[in-house]
Amino acid sequence: MRVNYHTHTTRCNHASGSEREYVENAIKGGLKVLGFSDHSPYIFAPDRRDYAGFRMKPEETAEYIGTIRALAKEYAGDIQLLAGVEIEYYPQYFERTVRFLGEMDCDYLIMGQHMIGDEETAVSGGTADAKVLSRYVSQAIEGMETGKFAYFAHPDMFLFNGDARAREKEYTRLCEAAKRLNVPLEINMYGMVDNRWYPRADFFRLAGEIGNEIVAGVDAHDPGRLSDPTEWERVQAFAAECGVQITELPVERVLSHKTKIR
């Protein structure tokens, strides 16, 4: 594995290790490009006082990007570093948040759509109601249609335990939209090593039939995951089982989205 654009930091409150440790483990693991994509701050309405504990705060953003820029200079001869974010698409607050990230000189966004609505009205899965799954897929498609995302992380993570025909119908709709909009879909390696319900073989078999572009994301929450060769072997085996091929996204393509978040 030579590139990874899905890496977290301690600012999300559920990852460990310093940025330097991530960089040094990435070099040890043979990566040539490491993108940091910690959970983005969100710029909510001024009267909103709640704030999720799984993302960095707006006031941490400058330090986050500054730390990565400094390390990029220090390790320039060994690896290329990017400063991005993983972010949900919350329609009511998305544009103001993207403007903020542009002002902070953020390099790229990856979509990590964990829930429907936002934290005030969150539905994060665990449902057999096909209408709820349909709402999730519609919100994800609306997010992809903004054109601001480099790719869609763990697109199969919404936990639907209802009728298989409904799942196939909605995920077909999602995959067809991603293909039409040229948004790659990620096989999430964190879900794989943590034995979660994703990545789902049925989802990626469907994506293979539709012809989606597939990427792999370590979704690193601790530095050692970037230097573990067994993870790359597992994700390759999973992709082969599903009949898909993993694409390595060029840095230039990822950075081409930077102009869209200004």
Side-chain angles (χ1 to χ4, degrees):
M1 190 171 186
R2 299 190 302 173
V3 302
N4 175 58
Y5 299 107
H6 197 165
T7 313
H8 292 278
T9 79
T10 56
R11 294 172 189 80
C12 69
N13 302 308
H14 59 275
S16 61
S18 68
E19 288 86 355
R20 184 179 298 276
E21 288 174 298
Y22 281 99
V23 172
E24 291 182 350
N25 272 272
I27 294 168
K28 179 182 176 182
L31 271 75
K32 301 303 180 184
V33 179
L34 178 65
F36 283 89
S37 56
D38 209 1
H39 291 282
S40 176
Y42 237 99
I43 309 302
F44 293 121
D47 59 347
R48 246 185 87 166
R49 303 198 178 278
D50 65 309
Y51 204 81
F54 58 81
R55 65 174 76 256
M56 78 175 89
K57 293 180 173 59
E59 57 267 27
E60 296 177 302
T61 311
E63 183 206 11
Y64 166 69
I65 291 178
T67 299
I68 296 166
R69 298 290 186 231
L71 288 168
K73 291 180 181 178
E74 182 177 346
Y75 288 90
D78 301 304
I79 193 168
Q80 185 171 1
L81 303 180
L82 304 182
V85 295
E86 177 184 358
I87 183 170
E88 296 82 5
Y89 173 69
Y90 296 160
Q92 186 176 358
Y93 306 112
F94 184 69
E95 288 301 329
R96 72 174 74 182
T97 301
V98 169
R99 285 196 298 272
F100 169 78
L101 292 169
E103 292 168 359
M104 292 290 105
D105 195 34
C106 180
D107 287 329
Y108 66 95
L109 315 179
I110 58 176
M111 178 187 278
Q113 196 68 28
H114 298 85
M115 61 193 72
I116 304 167
D118 62 49
E119 281 107 80
E120 283 187 313
T121 58
V123 179
S124 56
T127 179
D129 188 340
K131 291 181 180 178
V132 175
L133 176 62
S134 182
R135 285 173 54 207
Y136 173 83
V137 170
S138 292
Q139 185 168 334
I141 291 173
E142 186 178 329
M144 288 190 287
E145 287 174 339
T146 67
K148 299 185 187 298
F149 294 100
Y151 75 72
F152 191 163
H154 41 61
D156 52 339
M157 81 169 299
F158 191 79
L159 183 55
F160 177 73
N161 48 27
D163 184 70
R165 292 169 298 180
R167 179 188 296 113
E168 182 176 357
K169 174 185 175 183
E170 291 302 328
Y171 280 151
T172 295
R173 191 160 68 93
L174 188 153
C175 290
E176 287 178 344
K179 183 178 180 182
R180 170 173 56 85
L181 297 164
N182 198 31
V183 176
L185 303 177
E186 177 203 75
I187 299 176
N188 187 266
M189 294 162 66
Y190 185 33
M192 183 175 292
V193 301
D194 201 44
N195 296 313
R196 298 189 173 194
W197 61 94
Y198 62 90
R200 292 183 60 100
D202 58 351
F203 178 94
F204 284 99
R205 289 192 191 102
L206 181 62
E209 293 170 6
I210 291 170
N212 289 102
E213 186 174 12
I214 305 298
V215 298
V218 177
D219 195 358
H221 286 72
D222 70 81
R225 299 233 2 258
L226 294 172
S227 55
D228 183 354
T230 64
E231 287 201 27
W232 181 234
E233 294 165 5
R234 287 183 65 182
V235 76
Q236 285 181 307
F238 177 83
E241 175 193 343
C242 298
V244 298
Q245 186 170 1
I246 295 172
T247 299
E248 183 180 278
L249 288 183
V251 174
E252 296 76 16
R253 179 172 167 189
V254 173
L255 287 177
S256 70
H257 293 269
K258 188 167 183 174
T259 58
K260 300 175 185 178
I261 56 178
R262 292 294 184 179

